[in-house]
Amino acid sequence: MSEPTKVDAEQASRIARLFDIRLIVGGLLTLYGVIVLIAGLVQMHPAKSSGMHLNVWTGIGMLVVGLFMLGWMRLRPLAPPEPDELVEEGPQSSRAS
């Protein structure tokens, strides 16, 4: 039976930050916000929206929220895991009786 191995704390922290939901949501909202904003700026005649440029306002809103999420992730990163959380179990051997 193999001994439990310790995972490098820096690597575990990097993996946790990679899957931070704020990165995924913020990135998608920022990307979609830019796309909708460009579509709203290119569209000359807003159809059926009482003369308002809804795509422009929606794009700006999505862009602001997406950049907020990315800034929040940058300013308040996830806390590194505790040392006892870093213990990773090795492969377990099962014996057929």
Side-chain angles (χ1 to χ4, degrees):
M1 187 180 230
S2 64
E3 295 290 322
T5 60
K6 290 263 186 189
V7 177
D8 186 31
E10 182 179 325
Q11 180 184 4
S13 178
R14 187 177 23 219
I15 290 170
R17 273 182 279 161
L18 179 64
F19 293 108
D20 188 1
I21 192 71
R22 296 174 292 181
L23 175 65
I24 297 167
V25 171
L28 285 175
L29 280 175
T30 302
L31 176 68
Y32 293 156
V34 168
I35 291 170
V36 171
L37 181 62
I38 290 172
L41 292 174
V42 170
Q43 180 185 6
M44 299 307 267
H45 305 290
K48 297 183 183 179
S49 60
S50 301
M52 292 180 62
H53 293 279
L54 292 180
N55 283 343
V56 172
W57 289 109
T58 304
I60 290 172
M62 291 172 74
L63 195 58
V64 167
V65 172
L67 291 175
F68 170 76
M69 296 285 279
L70 293 175
W72 179 25
M73 184 195 71
R74 176 68 79 176
L75 295 174
R76 305 278 303 212
L78 291 176
E82 296 297 321
D84 58 342
E85 295 175 355
L86 296 177
V87 175
E88 185 178 283
E89 293 186 24
Q92 301 204 2
S93 61
S94 60
R95 294 186 180 180
S97 305

Coordinates of all heavy atoms in Angstrom, one line a residue:
M1 N 0.8 -1.2 0.0 CA 0.0 0.0 0.0 C 0.9 1.2 0.0 O 1.9 1.3 0.7 CB -0.9 0.0 1.2 CG -1.9 1.0 1.2 SD -2.9 0.9 2.7 CE -4.5 0.9 2.1
S2 N 0.6 2.2 -0.8 CA 1.4 3.4 -0.9 C 1.1 4.4 0.1 O -0.1 4.5 0.6 CB 1.3 4.0 -2.3 OG 0.0 4.4 -2.5
E3 N 2.1 5.2 0.5 CA 1.9 6.3 1.5 C 1.1 7.5 0.8 O 1.3 7.7 -0.4 CB 3.2 6.8 2.0 CG 4.0 5.7 2.7 CD 3.3 5.4 4.1 OE1 2.9 6.4 4.7 OE2 3.3 4.2 4.5
P4 N 0.3 8.2 1.6 CA -0.3 9.4 1.0 C 0.8 10.4 0.6 O 1.8 10.6 1.3 CB -1.1 10.0 2.2 CG -1.3 8.8 3.1 CD -0.1 7.9 2.9
T5 N 0.6 11.1 -0.5 CA 1.6 12.1 -1.0 C 1.1 13.5 -0.7 O -0.1 13.7 -0.7 CB 1.9 11.9 -2.5 OG1 0.6 12.1 -3.1 CG2 2.4 10.5 -2.8
K6 N 2.0 14.4 -0.5 CA 1.7 15.8 -0.3 C 1.8 16.5 -1.7 O 2.7 16.3 -2.4 CB 2.7 16.5 0.6 CG 2.6 16.0 2.0 CD 1.8 17.0 2.8 CE 1.8 16.6 4.2 NZ 0.8 17.4 5.0
V7 N 0.8 17.3 -2.0 CA 0.7 18.1 -3.2 C 1.3 19.4 -2.9 O 1.1 20.0 -1.9 CB -0.7 18.2 -3.7 CG1 -0.8 19.0 -5.0 CG2 -1.3 16.8 -4.0
D8 N 2.1 19.9 -3.8 CA 2.7 21.2 -3.7 C 1.7 22.3 -3.5 O 0.7 22.4 -4.2 CB 3.6 21.5 -4.9 CG 4.4 22.8 -4.8 OD1 4.8 23.1 -3.6 OD2 4.6 23.4 -5.8
A9 N 1.8 23.1 -2.4 CA 0.8 24.1 -2.1 C 0.6 25.1 -3.2 O -0.5 25.6 -3.5 CB 1.2 24.9 -0.8
E10 N 1.7 25.5 -3.9 CA 1.5 26.5 -5.0 C 0.7 25.9 -6.1 O -0.1 26.6 -6.7 CB 2.9 26.9 -5.5 CG 2.9 27.9 -6.6 CD 4.3 28.3 -7.0 OE1 5.2 28.4 -6.1 OE2 4.5 28.6 -8.2
Q11 N 1.0 24.6 -6.5 CA 0.3 24.0 -7.5 C -1.2 23.8 -7.2 O -2.1 24.1 -8.0 CB 0.9 22.6 -7.8 CG 0.2 21.9 -8.9 CD 0.8 20.5 -9.1 OE1 1.6 20.0 -8.4 NE2 0.3 19.8 -10.1
A12 N -1.5 23.5 -6.0 CA -2.9 23.3 -5.5 C -3.6 24.7 -5.6 O -4.8 24.8 -6.0 CB -3.0 22.7 -4.1
S13 N -3.0 25.7 -5.2 CA -3.6 27.1 -5.2 C -3.8 27.5 -6.7 O -4.8 28.1 -7.0 CB -2.6 28.1 -4.5 OG -3.2 29.4 -4.6
R14 N -2.9 27.2 -7.6 CA -3.0 27.5 -9.0 C -4.2 26.8 -9.6 O -5.0 27.3 -10.4 CB -1.7 27.2 -9.7 CG -1.7 27.7 -11.1 CD -0.3 27.5 -11.8 NE 0.4 26.4 -11.1 CZ 1.7 26.4 -10.9 NH1 2.4 27.3 -11.3 NH2 2.2 25.4 -10.2
I15 N -4.3 25.5 -9.3 CA -5.4 24.7 -9.8 C -6.8 25.3 -9.3 O -7.7 25.4 -10.0 CB -5.3 23.2 -9.4 CG1 -4.1 22.6 -10.2 CG2 -6.5 22.4 -9.7 CD1 -3.7 21.3 -9.7
A16 N -6.8 25.6 -8.0 CA -8.1 26.2 -7.4 C -8.4 27.5 -8.1 O -9.6 27.7 -8.4 CB -7.9 26.4 -5.9
R17 N -7.4 28.4 -8.4 CA -7.7 29.6 -9.1 C -8.2 29.4 -10.5 O -9.0 30.2 -11.0 CB -6.5 30.5 -9.0 CG -6.5 31.4 -7.8 CD -5.3 32.2 -7.8 NE -4.2 31.4 -7.4 CZ -2.9 31.6 -7.6 NH1 -2.5 32.7 -8.2 NH2 -2.0 30.8 -7.2
L18 N -7.7 28.4 -11.1 CA -8.1 28.1 -12.5 C -9.6 27.8 -12.6 O -10.2 28.2 -13.6 CB -7.3 26.9 -13.0 CG -7.5 26.4 -14.5 CD1 -7.2 27.6 -15.4 CD2 -6.8 25.2 -14.8
F19 N -10.1 27.1 -11.6 CA -11.5 26.7 -11.6 C -12.4 27.7 -10.8 O -13.5 27.3 -10.4 CB -11.7 25.3 -11.2 CG -11.1 24.3 -12.2 CD1 -9.9 23.7 -11.9 CD2 -11.7 24.2 -13.4 CE1 -9.3 22.8 -12.8 CE2 -11.1 23.3 -14.4 CZ -9.9 22.6 -14.0
D20 N -11.9 28.9 -10.5 CA -12.7 29.9 -9.8 C -13.9 30.3 -10.7 O -13.7 30.7 -11.8 CB -11.8 31.0 -9.4 CG -12.5 32.0 -8.5 OD1 -13.6 31.8 -8.1 OD2 -11.8 33.0 -8.1
I21 N -15.1 30.2 -10.1 CA -16.3 30.5 -10.9 C -16.3 32.0 -11.3 O -16.9 32.3 -12.4 CB -17.5 30.1 -10.1 CG1 -18.8 30.2 -11.0 CG2 -17.7 31.1 -8.9 CD1 -18.9 29.1 -11.9
R22 N -15.6 32.9 -10.6 CA -15.6 34.3 -11.0 C -14.8 34.5 -12.3 O -15.2 35.4 -13.1 CB -15.0 35.1 -9.9 CG -15.8 35.1 -8.6 CD -15.0 35.8 -7.5 NE -13.8 35.0 -7.1 CZ -13.0 35.4 -6.1 NH1 -13.2 36.5 -5.4 NH2 -12.0 34.6 -5.8
L23 N -13.8 33.7 -12.5 CA -13.1 33.8 -13.8 C -14.0 33.4 -15.0 O -14.0 34.0 -16.0 CB -11.9 32.9 -13.8 CG -11.1 32.8 -15.0 CD1 -10.5 34.1 -15.4 CD2 -10.0 31.8 -14.9
I24 N -14.7 32.3 -14.8 CA -15.5 31.8 -15.9 C -16.7 32.7 -16.2 O -16.9 33.1 -17.3 CB -16.1 30.4 -15.6 CG1 -14.9 29.4 -15.4 CG2 -17.1 29.9 -16.6 CD1 -15.2 28.1 -14.8
V25 N -17.4 33.1 -15.1 CA -18.6 34.0 -15.3 C -18.1 35.4 -15.8 O -18.7 36.0 -16.7 CB -19.4 34.1 -14.0 CG1 -20.4 35.2 -14.1 CG2 -20.0 32.8 -13.7
G26 N -17.1 35.9 -15.2 CA -16.6 37.3 -15.6 C -16.0 37.3 -17.0 O -16.3 38.2 -17.8
G27 N -15.3 36.2 -17.4 CA -14.8 36.1 -18.8 C -15.9 36.1 -19.8 O -15.9 36.7 -20.8
L28 N -16.9 35.2 -19.5 CA -18.0 35.1 -20.5 C -18.9 36.4 -20.6 O -19.3 36.8 -21.6 CB -18.9 33.9 -20.1 CG -18.3 32.5 -20.4 CD1 -19.3 31.4 -19.9 CD2 -18.2 32.4 -21.9
L29 N -19.2 37.0 -19.4 CA -20.0 38.2 -19.4 C -19.2 39.3 -20.2 O -19.8 40.1 -20.9 CB -20.3 38.7 -18.0 CG -21.5 37.9 -17.4 CD1 -21.7 38.4 -15.9 CD2 -22.8 38.2 -18.2
T30 N -17.9 39.4 -19.9 CA -17.1 40.4 -20.6 C -17.1 40.2 -22.1 O -17.3 41.1 -22.9 CB -15.7 40.4 -20.1 OG1 -15.7 40.7 -18.7 CG2 -14.8 41.5 -20.7
L31 N -16.9 38.9 -22.5 CA -16.9 38.6 -24.0 C -18.2 38.9 -24.6 O -18.3 39.6 -25.6 CB -16.5 37.1 -24.2 CG -16.6 36.6 -25.6 CD1 -15.4 37.3 -26.4 CD2 -16.4 35.1 -25.6
Y32 N -19.3 38.4 -24.0 CA -20.7 38.7 -24.5 C -21.0 40.2 -24.5 O -21.7 40.7 -25.4 CB -21.7 37.9 -23.8 CG -21.6 36.4 -24.0 CD1 -22.1 35.5 -23.1 CD2 -21.0 35.8 -25.1 CE1 -22.0 34.1 -23.2 CE2 -20.9 34.5 -25.3 CZ -21.4 33.6 -24.3 OH -21.3 32.3 -24.5
G33 N -20.6 40.9 -23.5 CA -20.8 42.3 -23.4 C -20.2 43.1 -24.5 O -20.8 44.0 -25.1
V34 N -18.9 42.7 -24.9 CA -18.3 43.3 -26.0 C -19.0 43.0 -27.3 O -19.2 43.9 -28.1 CB -16.8 42.9 -26.1 CG1 -16.1 43.3 -27.4 CG2 -16.0 43.4 -24.9
I35 N -19.4 41.8 -27.5 CA -20.1 41.4 -28.7 C -21.4 42.2 -28.8 O -21.8 42.7 -29.9 CB -20.3 39.9 -28.8 CG1 -19.0 39.2 -28.9 CG2 -21.3 39.5 -29.9 CD1 -19.1 37.7 -28.7
V36 N -22.2 42.2 -27.8 CA -23.5 42.9 -27.8 C -23.3 44.4 -28.0 O -24.1 45.1 -28.7 CB -24.4 42.5 -26.5 CG1 -25.6 43.4 -26.5 CG2 -24.7 41.1 -26.6
L37 N -22.3 45.0 -27.3 CA -22.1 46.4 -27.5 C -21.7 46.8 -28.9 O -22.2 47.7 -29.4 CB -20.9 46.8 -26.5 CG -20.6 48.3 -26.5 CD1 -21.7 49.1 -26.1 CD2 -19.4 48.5 -25.6
I38 N -20.8 46.0 -29.5 CA -20.5 46.2 -30.9 C -21.7 46.1 -31.8 O -21.9 46.9 -32.7 CB -19.3 45.3 -31.3 CG1 -18.0 45.7 -30.6 CG2 -19.1 45.3 -32.9 CD1 -16.9 44.7 -30.8
A39 N -22.5 45.0 -31.6 CA -23.7 44.9 -32.4 C -24.7 46.1 -32.2 O -25.3 46.5 -33.2 CB -24.4 43.6 -32.0
G40 N -24.8 46.6 -31.0 CA -25.6 47.8 -30.8 C -25.1 49.0 -31.4 O -25.8 49.9 -31.9
L41 N -23.8 49.2 -31.5 CA -23.2 50.4 -32.1 C -23.3 50.3 -33.6 O -23.4 51.3 -34.2 CB -21.7 50.5 -31.6 CG -21.5 50.9 -30.2 CD1 -20.0 50.9 -29.8 CD2 -22.2 52.2 -29.8
V42 N -23.2 49.1 -34.2 CA -23.3 48.9 -35.6 C -24.7 49.1 -36.1 O -25.0 49.7 -37.2 CB -22.7 47.6 -36.0 CG1 -23.0 47.3 -37.5 CG2 -21.3 47.5 -35.7
Q43 N -25.7 48.7 -35.3 CA -27.1 48.8 -35.7 C -27.5 50.3 -35.6 O -27.5 50.9 -34.6 CB -27.9 48.0 -34.7 CG -29.4 48.0 -35.0 CD -30.2 47.3 -33.9 OE1 -29.6 46.9 -32.9 NE2 -31.5 47.2 -34.1
M44 N -28.0 50.8 -36.8 CA -28.3 52.2 -36.9 C -29.7 52.5 -36.4 O -30.0 53.5 -35.8 CB -28.1 52.7 -38.3 CG -26.7 52.6 -38.8 SD -25.5 53.3 -37.7 CE -25.4 54.9 -38.4
H45 N -30.6 51.6 -36.6 CA -32.1 51.9 -36.3 C -32.5 50.8 -35.3 O -32.8 49.7 -35.7 CB -32.9 51.8 -37.6 CG -32.5 52.7 -38.7 ND1 -32.6 54.1 -38.6 CD2 -31.9 52.5 -39.8 CE1 -32.1 54.7 -39.6 NE2 -31.6 53.7 -40.4
P46 N -32.6 51.2 -34.1 CA -33.1 50.2 -33.1 C -34.6 49.9 -33.4 O -35.4 50.7 -33.4 CB -33.0 50.9 -31.7 CG -32.8 52.4 -32.1 CD -32.3 52.5 -33.5
A47 N -34.8 48.6 -33.6 CA -36.2 48.2 -33.9 C -37.0 47.8 -32.7 O -36.5 47.1 -31.8 CB -36.1 46.9 -34.8
K48 N -38.2 48.4 -32.6 CA -39.2 48.0 -31.6 C -38.7 48.2 -30.2 O -38.9 47.4 -29.3 CB -39.7 46.6 -31.8 CG -40.4 46.4 -33.1 CD -40.9 45.0 -33.2 CE -41.6 44.7 -34.5 NZ -42.1 43.4 -34.6
S49 N -37.9 49.3 -29.9 CA -37.4 49.5 -28.6 C -37.6 50.9 -28.1 O -36.9 51.5 -27.4 CB -36.0 49.1 -28.5 OG -35.2 49.9 -29.4
S50 N -38.7 51.6 -28.7 CA -39.0 53.0 -28.3 C -37.9 53.9 -28.5 O -37.7 54.9 -27.7 CB -39.5 53.0 -26.8 OG -40.6 52.2 -26.7
G51 N -37.1 53.7 -29.5 CA -36.0 54.6 -29.8 C -34.7 54.4 -29.0 O -33.8 55.1 -29.1
M52 N -34.8 53.5 -28.0 CA -33.6 53.2 -27.2 C -32.7 52.2 -27.8 O -33.1 51.4 -28.5 CB -34.0 52.7 -25.8 CG -34.8 53.7 -24.9 SD -35.2 53.0 -23.4 CE -33.7 52.6 -22.7
H53 N -31.4 52.4 -27.6 CA -30.4 51.4 -28.1 C -30.2 50.3 -27.0 O -29.3 50.4 -26.2 CB -29.1 52.1 -28.4 CG -29.2 53.1 -29.6 ND1 -29.2 52.6 -30.9 CD2 -29.4 54.4 -29.6 CE1 -29.3 53.7 -31.7 NE2 -29.4 54.8 -30.9
L54 N -31.1 49.4 -27.0 CA -31.1 48.3 -26.0 C -29.8 47.5 -26.0 O -29.3 47.1 -25.0 CB -32.3 47.5 -26.0 CG -33.7 48.1 -25.7 CD1 -34.8 47.1 -25.8 CD2 -33.6 48.7 -24.3
N55 N -29.3 47.2 -27.2 CA -28.1 46.4 -27.3 C -26.9 47.2 -26.7 O -26.1 46.6 -26.1 CB -27.8 46.0 -28.8 CG -28.7 44.9 -29.2 OD1 -29.3 44.2 -28.5 ND2 -28.7 44.7 -30.6
V56 N -26.9 48.5 -26.9 CA -25.8 49.2 -26.3 C -25.8 49.2 -24.8 O -24.8 48.9 -24.1 CB -25.8 50.7 -26.8 CG1 -24.8 51.6 -26.1 CG2 -25.6 50.8 -28.3
W57 N -27.0 49.5 -24.2 CA -27.2 49.5 -22.8 C -27.0 48.1 -22.2 O -26.3 47.9 -21.1 CB -28.5 50.0 -22.4 CG -28.6 51.5 -22.6 CD1 -29.3 52.2 -23.6 CD2 -27.8 52.5 -21.9 NE1 -29.1 53.5 -23.5 CE2 -28.2 53.8 -22.5 CE3 -26.9 52.5 -20.9 CZ2 -27.6 55.0 -22.1 CZ3 -26.4 53.7 -20.4 CH2 -26.7 54.9 -21.0
T58 N -27.4 47.1 -22.8 CA -27.3 45.7 -22.4 C -25.8 45.3 -22.4 O -25.2 44.7 -21.5 CB -28.1 44.7 -23.2 OG1 -29.5 45.1 -23.1 CG2 -27.9 43.3 -22.7
G59 N -25.1 45.7 -23.5 CA -23.7 45.4 -23.7 C -22.9 46.1 -22.6 O -21.9 45.5 -22.0
I60 N -23.2 47.4 -22.3 CA -22.5 48.1 -21.3 C -22.7 47.4 -19.9 O -21.7 47.3 -19.1 CB -22.9 49.6 -21.3 CG1 -22.4 50.3 -22.5 CG2 -22.4 50.3 -20.0 CD1 -22.9 51.7 -22.7
G61 N -23.9 47.0 -19.6 CA -24.2 46.4 -18.4 C -23.5 45.1 -18.2 O -22.9 44.8 -17.1
M62 N -23.5 44.2 -19.2 CA -22.8 43.0 -19.2 C -21.3 43.2 -19.0 O -20.6 42.5 -18.3 CB -23.0 42.2 -20.4 CG -24.5 41.7 -20.5 SD -24.9 40.9 -22.1 CE -24.0 39.4 -21.9
L63 N -20.7 44.2 -19.7 CA -19.3 44.5 -19.6 C -18.9 45.0 -18.2 O -17.9 44.5 -17.7 CB -19.0 45.6 -20.7 CG -17.6 45.8 -21.0 CD1 -16.9 44.6 -21.6 CD2 -17.5 46.9 -22.1
V64 N -19.8 45.8 -17.6 CA -19.5 46.3 -16.3 C -19.5 45.1 -15.3 O -18.6 45.0 -14.4 CB -20.5 47.4 -15.9 CG1 -20.4 47.7 -14.4 CG2 -20.2 48.6 -16.7
V65 N -20.5 44.3 -15.3 CA -20.6 43.2 -14.4 C -19.4 42.2 -14.6 O -18.8 41.7 -13.7 CB -22.0 42.5 -14.5 CG1 -22.0 41.2 -13.7 CG2 -23.1 43.4 -14.1
G66 N -19.1 41.9 -15.9 CA -18.0 41.0 -16.2 C -16.7 41.5 -15.7 O -15.9 40.8 -15.1
L67 N -16.4 42.8 -15.9 CA -15.2 43.4 -15.4 C -15.1 43.5 -13.9 O -14.1 43.3 -13.3 CB -15.0 44.8 -16.0 CG -14.7 44.8 -17.5 CD1 -14.6 46.2 -18.1 CD2 -13.4 44.0 -17.8
F68 N -16.3 43.7 -13.3 CA -16.4 43.6 -11.8 C -16.0 42.2 -11.3 O -15.2 42.1 -10.3 CB -17.8 44.0 -11.3 CG -18.0 43.7 -9.9 CD1 -17.5 44.6 -8.9 CD2 -18.7 42.6 -9.4 CE1 -17.7 44.4 -7.6 CE2 -18.9 42.4 -8.1 CZ -18.4 43.3 -7.2
M69 N -16.5 41.2 -11.9 CA -16.2 39.8 -11.5 C -14.7 39.5 -11.6 O -14.1 38.9 -10.8 CB -17.0 38.8 -12.3 CG -18.5 38.9 -12.1 SD -19.0 38.3 -10.5 CE -19.1 36.5 -10.9
L70 N -14.1 39.9 -12.8 CA -12.7 39.7 -13.0 C -11.8 40.5 -12.0 O -10.8 40.0 -11.5 CB -12.3 40.1 -14.4 CG -12.9 39.1 -15.5 CD1 -12.6 39.6 -16.9 CD2 -12.4 37.7 -15.3
G71 N -12.2 41.8 -11.7 CA -11.5 42.6 -10.8 C -11.6 42.0 -9.4 O -10.6 42.0 -8.6
W72 N -12.8 41.5 -9.0 CA -13.0 40.9 -7.7 C -12.1 39.7 -7.5 O -11.5 39.4 -6.5 CB -14.5 40.5 -7.6 CG -14.9 39.8 -6.3 CD1 -14.3 39.9 -5.1 CD2 -16.0 39.0 -6.1 NE1 -15.0 39.2 -4.2 CE2 -16.0 38.6 -4.8 CE3 -17.0 38.6 -7.0 CZ2 -17.0 37.8 -4.3 CZ3 -18.0 37.7 -6.5 CH2 -18.0 37.3 -5.2
M73 N -12.0 38.9 -8.6 CA -11.1 37.7 -8.6 C -9.7 38.1 -8.4 O -8.9 37.5 -7.7 CB -11.3 36.9 -9.8 CG -10.5 35.6 -9.8 SD -10.4 34.8 -11.4 CE -9.2 36.0 -12.2
R74 N -9.3 39.2 -9.1 CA -7.9 39.7 -9.0 C -7.5 40.2 -7.6 O -6.5 40.0 -7.1 CB -7.6 40.7 -10.1 CG -6.3 41.3 -10.1 CD -5.2 40.4 -10.5 NE -5.2 40.2 -11.9 CZ -4.3 39.5 -12.5 NH1 -3.4 38.9 -11.8 NH2 -4.3 39.3 -13.8
L75 N -8.5 41.0 -7.1 CA -8.2 41.7 -5.8 C -8.4 40.7 -4.6 O -7.7 40.9 -3.6 CB -9.1 42.9 -5.6 CG -8.9 44.0 -6.6 CD1 -10.0 45.1 -6.4 CD2 -7.5 44.6 -6.4
R76 N -9.3 39.8 -4.7 CA -9.5 38.9 -3.6 C -9.4 37.4 -4.0 O -10.4 36.7 -4.2 CB -11.0 39.1 -3.0 CG -11.3 40.5 -2.5 CD -10.8 40.8 -1.2 NE -11.4 39.8 -0.2 CZ -11.6 40.1 1.0 NH1 -11.5 41.3 1.4 NH2 -12.1 39.2 1.8
P77 N -8.2 36.9 -4.2 CA -8.0 35.6 -4.7 C -8.5 34.5 -3.7 O -8.6 34.9 -2.5 CB -6.5 35.5 -5.0 CG -5.9 36.5 -4.2 CD -6.9 37.6 -4.0
L78 N -8.7 33.3 -4.1 CA -9.1 32.3 -3.2 C -8.0 32.0 -2.2 O -6.8 32.1 -2.5 CB -9.3 31.0 -4.0 CG -10.5 30.9 -4.9 CD1 -10.6 29.6 -5.7 CD2 -11.8 31.1 -4.1
A79 N -8.3 31.7 -1.0 CA -7.4 31.4 0.1 C -6.7 30.1 -0.3 O -7.3 29.2 -0.7 CB -8.1 31.3 1.4
P80 N -5.4 30.0 0.0 CA -4.7 28.7 -0.3 C -5.3 27.6 0.7 O -5.7 27.9 1.8 CB -3.3 29.0 0.0 CG -3.2 30.3 0.8 CD -4.5 31.0 0.5
P81 N -5.3 26.4 0.2 CA -5.9 25.3 1.0 C -5.0 25.1 2.2 O -3.8 25.3 2.2 CB -5.9 24.1 0.1 CG -5.0 24.5 -1.0 CD -4.9 26.0 -1.1
E82 N -5.6 24.6 3.3 CA -4.9 24.2 4.5 C -4.0 23.0 4.2 O -4.3 22.2 3.4 CB -5.9 23.9 5.6 CG -6.8 25.1 6.0 CD -6.0 26.2 6.6 OE1 -5.0 26.0 7.4 OE2 -6.3 27.4 6.3
P83 N -2.9 22.9 5.0 CA -2.0 21.7 4.8 C -2.7 20.4 4.9 O -2.3 19.4 4.2 CB -0.9 21.9 5.9 CG -0.9 23.3 6.2 CD -2.4 23.8 6.0
D84 N -3.7 20.2 5.8 CA -4.3 18.9 5.9 C -5.2 18.6 4.8 O -5.6 17.5 4.5 CB -5.1 18.8 7.3 CG -6.1 19.9 7.4 OD1 -6.0 20.9 6.7 OD2 -7.1 19.8 8.2
E85 N -5.6 19.7 4.0 CA -6.4 19.5 2.8 C -5.6 19.0 1.6 O -6.1 18.6 0.6 CB -7.2 20.7 2.4 CG -8.2 21.1 3.4 CD -8.8 22.5 3.1 OE1 -8.4 23.1 2.1 OE2 -9.7 22.9 3.8
L86 N -4.3 19.2 1.7 CA -3.4 18.9 0.6 C -3.0 17.4 0.6 O -2.3 17.0 -0.4 CB -2.1 19.7 0.7 CG -2.3 21.2 0.6 CD1 -1.0 21.9 0.8 CD2 -2.9 21.6 -0.7
V87 N -3.4 16.6 1.5 CA -3.0 15.2 1.5 C -3.8 14.5 0.5 O -5.1 14.6 0.4 CB -3.3 14.6 2.9 CG1 -3.0 13.1 2.8 CG2 -2.4 15.2 3.9
E88 N -3.2 13.9 -0.4 CA -3.8 13.2 -1.6 C -3.6 11.7 -1.4 O -2.5 11.3 -1.2 CB -3.2 13.7 -2.9 CG -3.9 13.2 -4.1 CD -3.2 13.8 -5.3 OE1 -3.5 14.9 -5.6 OE2 -2.5 13.1 -5.9
E89 N -4.6 10.9 -1.5 CA -4.5 9.5 -1.3 C -3.9 8.9 -2.6 O -4.3 9.3 -3.7 CB -5.8 8.9 -0.9 CG -6.3 9.3 0.4 CD -7.6 8.5 0.8 OE1 -7.8 7.4 0.3 OE2 -8.3 9.1 1.6
G90 N -3.1 8.0 -2.4 CA -2.5 7.3 -3.6 C -3.5 6.2 -4.0 O -4.5 6.0 -3.5
P91 N -3.1 5.5 -5.1 CA -3.9 4.4 -5.6 C -4.1 3.3 -4.6 O -3.2 2.9 -3.9 CB -3.2 3.9 -6.8 CG -1.8 4.4 -6.7 CD -1.8 5.6 -5.8
Q92 N -5.3 2.9 -4.4 CA -5.6 1.9 -3.4 C -5.7 0.6 -4.1 O -6.4 0.4 -5.2 CB -7.0 2.2 -2.7 CG -6.9 3.6 -2.0 CD -7.9 3.6 -0.9 OE1 -8.6 2.7 -0.6 NE2 -7.9 4.8 -0.3
S93 N -5.1 -0.4 -3.5 CA -5.1 -1.7 -4.1 C -6.2 -2.5 -3.4 O -6.4 -2.5 -2.2 CB -3.8 -2.5 -3.9 OG -3.5 -2.6 -2.5
S94 N -7.0 -3.2 -4.2 CA -8.1 -4.0 -3.7 C -7.8 -5.4 -4.0 O -7.4 -5.8 -5.1 CB -9.4 -3.5 -4.3 OG -9.4 -3.7 -5.7
R95 N -7.9 -6.2 -3.0 CA -7.6 -7.7 -3.2 C -8.9 -8.4 -3.3 O -9.9 -8.2 -2.5 CB -6.8 -8.2 -2.1 CG -5.4 -7.6 -2.0 CD -4.7 -8.3 -0.9 NE -3.3 -7.7 -0.9 CZ -2.4 -8.1 -0.1 NH1 -2.7 -9.0 0.8 NH2 -1.2 -7.5 -0.1
A96 N -9.0 -9.3 -4.3 CA -10.2 -10.1 -4.4 C -10.0 -11.3 -3.5 O -9.0 -12.0 -3.5 CB -10.3 -10.6 -5.9
S97 N -11.0 -11.6 -2.7 CA -10.9 -12.7 -1.7 C -11.5 -13.9 -2.3 O -12.4 -13.9 -3.0 CB -11.6 -12.4 -0.4 OG -11.2 -11.2 0.1

